Amino acid sequence: MSGIYIHIPFCKQACHYCDFHFSTSMKKKEEMVLAIAKEIQMRKSEFKNDPSESEHAKQTVETIYLGGGTPSVLTSEEINFLIAAVYSNYSVIENPEITLEANPDDLSEERIIELSKSKINRLSIGIQSFFEDDLQLMNRAHNSAEAKKCLEEATKYFDNISLDLIYGIPGMSNEKWKQNIETALSFGIPHISSYALTVEPKTALNKLIQTGKIAAPKDDVAQEHFAVLVEMLEANDFIHYELSNFGKANYFSKNNSAYWLGKKYIGIGPSAHSYDGVSRSWNVSNNSIYLKSIQENKLPNEIEILSITDRYNEYIMTGLRTIWGVSLDRIEIEFGSDYLEYLNKQSQKFLDDNLLFIENNILKPTPKGKFLTDGIASDLFYLNLE
């Protein structure tokens, strides 16, 4: 099983908290779409199948994910063109999950109908909040009315919809956060991704906080919001299958689940990352350099061969964030007894503090430990072994 991620590096405007790679100038959009399609073709050998391989072993594409940036700034024709480029260069399963990240201001009823007639079968909608003041603080391009209207229309034409919500916003009370979740639930959405507002160094949000124009987010508030989120969504039959992701049965993101389970994927477009099981590569985060390289038939990427320690640390980080946890049997088989011994030693204090537990020889965070998962994982990393 393999996945293809396509990074669309354009946004209408810069959200204050975002540090992803994008441009607010659309001047090179058409040129970029052609370059991305060319990179899709240039990299098809990475999923090439040996004719002698069994059907089971062949590398097929099961997920296509258009992320960004804001992929919904592309026209439906451009989106269809990129999906067609994948189909013409790779072996794609009969019913792949094909996700489009979209913002409410791009999702008019007419546009939603257009998309429903394409191969897109999953929408991931960047709502973030249903409150006007939150949207303004984050400098989102849409307003509250557009957020609700697009969900009202999208649910008529799409069954598989995810929406994003942000918690820990300065000034957001628990009650206001509950109202955000209740509004999301009222649309019958089967998947919700929710993240704490994080202050990244080179963002407008960081500058606004430093100059005293916005209060800094508080960890204790975010932790309270997270607890509210988990309680409310689990009470509504959502499964908390990854730290930031909640899905109803059969609605987990197949694309993201494959990433967390360490499966192969190719990342196309500026700044996109790829993983093949033994190495990781990433494309240059510069639109002009990316375009020039592709025009010269060169892949604009860097490659890092992952050491056994790198792979162990990555498995710890992704495993602890998911319901699948960290298999102690896999640690011993794949990484060796030294790593297992180290993990057992490092995890003991978290087991004693009821932040981790072991079930069927699988290490997982307790409800109390879930919010602290990333910090716990960093304490379990194996450093300077090689």
Side-chain angles (χ1 to χ4, degrees), residues 220-274:
D220 58 337
V221 171
Q223 192 162 357
E224 282 184 29
H225 287 179
F226 180 76
V228 167
L229 176 73
V230 172
E231 183 183 353
M232 288 183 68
L233 292 189
E234 288 185 344
N236 281 274
D237 301 321
F238 282 79
I239 300 163
H240 189 193
Y241 72 103
E242 193 273 341
L243 183 63
S244 303
N245 287 270
F246 303 77
K248 293 201 170 181
N250 302 316
Y251 286 96
F252 294 2
S253 166
K254 292 178 183 175
N255 176 83
N256 294 349
S257 295
Y259 161 70
W260 296 316
L261 291 168
K263 297 187 178 176
K264 296 180 182 181
Y265 60 90
I266 292 178
I268 305 286
S271 82
H273 285 231
S274 304

Side-chain angles (χ1 to χ4, degrees), residues 215-385:
K218 295 177 180 177
D219 287 345
D220 58 337
V221 171
Q223 192 162 357
E224 282 184 29
H225 287 179
F226 180 76
V228 167
L229 176 73
V230 172
E231 183 183 353
M232 288 183 68
L233 292 189
E234 288 185 344
N236 281 274
D237 301 321
F238 282 79
I239 300 163
H240 189 193
Y241 72 103
E242 193 273 341
L243 183 63
S244 303
N245 287 270
F246 303 77
K248 293 201 170 181
N250 302 316
Y251 286 96
F252 294 2
S253 166
K254 292 178 183 175
N255 176 83
N256 294 349
S257 295
Y259 161 70
W260 296 316
L261 291 168
K263 297 187 178 176
K264 296 180 182 181
Y265 60 90
I266 292 178
I268 305 286
S271 82
H273 285 231
S274 304
Y275 174 72
D276 67 3
V278 294
S279 68
R280 187 171 297 289
S281 65
W282 55 95
N283 286 349
V284 64
S285 296
N286 181 297
N287 288 3
S288 297
I289 295 173
Y290 173 84
L291 289 169
K292 186 171 185 291
S293 295
I294 296 295
Q295 285 160 4
E296 295 172 354
N297 297 310
K298 297 175 188 171
L299 290 175
N301 63 9
E302 291 183 53
I303 300 173
E304 174 191 18
I305 304 299
L306 300 174
S307 68
I308 189 170
T309 301
D310 292 331
R311 288 187 282 113
Y312 164 87
N313 289 343
E314 193 153 307
Y315 177 49
I316 294 294
M317 175 60 81
T318 55
L320 276 189
R321 288 180 63 101
T322 71
I323 57 169
W324 301 290
V326 172
S327 166
L328 300 181
D329 293 333
R330 178 179 166 184
I331 293 289
E332 186 168 26
I333 293 165
E334 197 169 318
F335 304 105
S337 56
D338 285 350
Y339 284 88
L340 178 60
E341 188 180 328
Y342 179 83
L343 177 57
N344 284 332
K345 181 183 173 186
Q346 290 297 106
S347 62
Q348 191 57 53
K349 60 185 175 183
F350 300 109
L351 292 164
D352 293 342
D353 291 340
N354 193 34
L355 297 174
L356 294 177
F357 72 104
I358 296 173
E359 181 180 58
N360 299 323
N361 224 26
I362 293 174
L363 186 67
K364 298 179 180 181
T366 63
K368 181 182 170 185
K370 277 185 179 177
F371 184 76
L372 306 171
T373 297
D374 288 348
I376 293 170
S378 67
D379 276 359
L380 304 182
F381 287 170
Y382 208 141
L383 306 173
N384 304 318
L385 179 69

Side-chain angles (χ1 to χ4, degrees), residues 2 4 6 11 24 123 133 177 188 193 205 288 300 381:
S2 306
I4 292 186
I6 302 172
C11 289
T24 53
L123 293 179
D133 56 336
W177 175 231
S193 297
L205 178 61
S288 297
F381 287 170

Side-chain angles (χ1 to χ4, degrees), residues 63-67 71 97-101 119-124 160 253-255:
T63 65
I64 303 170
Y65 192 103
L66 287 89
E97 176 189 88
I98 305 182
T99 303
L100 177 77
E101 286 186 355
K119 288 186 180 294
I120 299 288
N121 52 30
R122 183 174 184 269
L123 293 179
S124 177
N160 198 350
S253 166
K254 292 178 183 175
N255 176 83

Side-chain angles (χ1 to χ4, degrees), residues 80-95:
N80 291 336
F81 173 70
L82 292 178
I83 294 172
V86 174
Y87 270 81
S88 62
N89 288 287
Y90 300 80
S91 176
V92 182
I93 65 167
E94 190 175 341
N95 293 303

